[in-house]
Amino acid sequence: MTYLETAAQFYREVAQTPQVGLCCVQSTPLQLPGLKISLPMQEMNYGCGTTVHPTELGNQPTVLYVGVGGGLEALQFAYFSRYASAVIAIEPVEAMREAAARNLQIAAQENPWFDPSFVKIREGDAFNLPVADASVDIVAQNCLFNIFEPEDLTRALKEAYRVLKPGGRLQMSDPIATRPIPAHLQQDERLRAMCLSGALTYQEYTERIINAGFGQIEIRARRPYRLLDSQTYNLEENLLLESLDSVSFKVEIPEDGACIFTGKTAIYAGTEPFFDDSAGHLLQLGIPAAVCDKTAAKLAAIKPAEIIVTNSTWHYSGGGCC
């Protein structure tokens, strides 16, 4: 079997016999007023973080969800977009489609506001999304793209870019590796399917997103995910995997490179009330302003004695001067 066939077989198994805690971080599902999540849906929470960011889901966006899993995040997106086919869930594994459909029927019984028509489950895969160009507001995936080998990841990212409207958002949660994963683990197809051996480093992961055309990336969260210990995985030393929640925007890449926001701020500490770099960045004396990593480096180089750049917090929620 190819590694994708191995992954499909693995997820057929866990659709029929849920494995609690297979991928997910140790956290409860997002709590929203009037939203009830059934135990079967919780048990199939095969994600490593979240792609659902409530403050950004106004105006009832159309969502394309790739890899439906147990339907949990599809239901959460539908909470904000309550109309027929508001969420299009793409899933290549028949058993998983069937399990998600059952879980959404239970959700309709437990949530008076929810109608199963809000989520349309369709057969398909990340490489050939069955929707038109520039037709959706959001593409989301949780703990799926990390399974792909690098060139397949690029295919999936470019396909997501194709179907997004201008200004649309690719909302992802994936494991990343704190250093390159050794070849003997990358070649283990079962571990890859379990989201334990296919992760790229942060630098490699963000470069792939930018190379697909996305001009802005915002990091929503970065946290420990799993430890590959040296004894179990035949490593020289332990290898930490992290979970990265990100939002990438379908906007033009600036001439000086894409903007990546990781929670850095720039603080002007000079003698004037303001500092203006004549490039669109205005810093008020003593007040931190959120800046992308690219701008942070430029500002620090302009006036190293007067501009303080804080470290990445690995959390960004908008604002600032970029």
Side-chain angles (χ1 to χ4, degrees), residues 89-100:
I90 307 300
E91 175 59 57
V93 179
E94 183 179 7
M96 195 65 79
R97 294 196 301 272
E98 293 173 350

Side-chain angles (χ1 to χ4, degrees), residues 199-310:
L200 300 176
T201 64
Y202 169 81
Q203 186 66 31
E204 292 169 329
Y205 185 78
T206 52
E207 283 180 358
R208 293 272 171 177
I209 297 171
I210 294 166
N211 289 342
F214 293 92
Q216 182 168 314
I217 303 172
E218 300 178 358
I219 304 302
R220 296 291 183 262
R222 182 174 178 174
R223 61 178 79 83
Y225 168 65
R226 288 286 189 274
L227 183 72
L228 304 183
D229 67 273
S230 57
Q231 185 171 359
T232 302
Y233 295 96
N234 190 25
L235 298 167
E236 293 183 2
E237 57 181 315
N238 296 337
L239 197 165
L240 178 65
L241 303 182
E242 297 176 323
S243 171
L244 189 77
D245 294 357
S246 65
V247 179
S248 302
F249 291 79
K250 185 177 179 176
V251 295
E252 293 292 327
I253 299 176
E255 290 184 5
D256 59 349
C259 297
I260 304 179
F261 289 85
T262 63
K264 289 183 177 179
T265 67
I267 310 171
Y268 175 55
T271 58
E272 302 295 328
F274 297 93
F275 170 75
D276 187 346
D277 71 348
S278 300
H281 308 110
L282 185 68
L283 303 181
Q284 187 175 351
L285 180 64
I287 298 179
V291 290
C292 71
D293 292 5
K294 175 185 63 179
T295 297
K298 288 182 177 181
L299 290 172
I302 292 171
K303 286 185 175 290
E306 296 184 3
I307 296 178
I308 299 166
V309 174
T310 60

Side-chain angles (χ1 to χ4, degrees), residues 3-23:
Y3 84 95
L4 291 172
E5 290 170 336
T6 299
Q9 175 59 39
F10 178 76
Y11 283 97
R12 274 191 289 272
E13 295 171 7
V14 299
Q16 295 163 350
T17 306
Q19 292 189 25
V20 179
L22 170 65
C23 297

Side-chain angles (χ1 to χ4, degrees), residues 4 7-15 44 46 64-71 74 88-101 104 119-130 140-144 147-148:
L4 291 172
Q9 175 59 39
F10 178 76
Y11 283 97
R12 274 191 289 272
E13 295 171 7
V14 299
M44 295 180 68
Y46 302 145
L64 180 67
Y65 197 89
V66 188
V68 69
I88 306 164
I90 307 300
E91 175 59 57
V93 179
E94 183 179 7
M96 195 65 79
R97 294 196 301 272
E98 293 173 350
L104 291 170
V119 179
K120 184 175 183 179
I121 301 175
R122 298 185 61 178
E123 182 178 2
D125 60 50
F127 311 126
N128 298 283
L129 298 173
Q141 69 83 22
N142 195 330
C143 213
L144 169 65
I147 293 174
F148 299 149

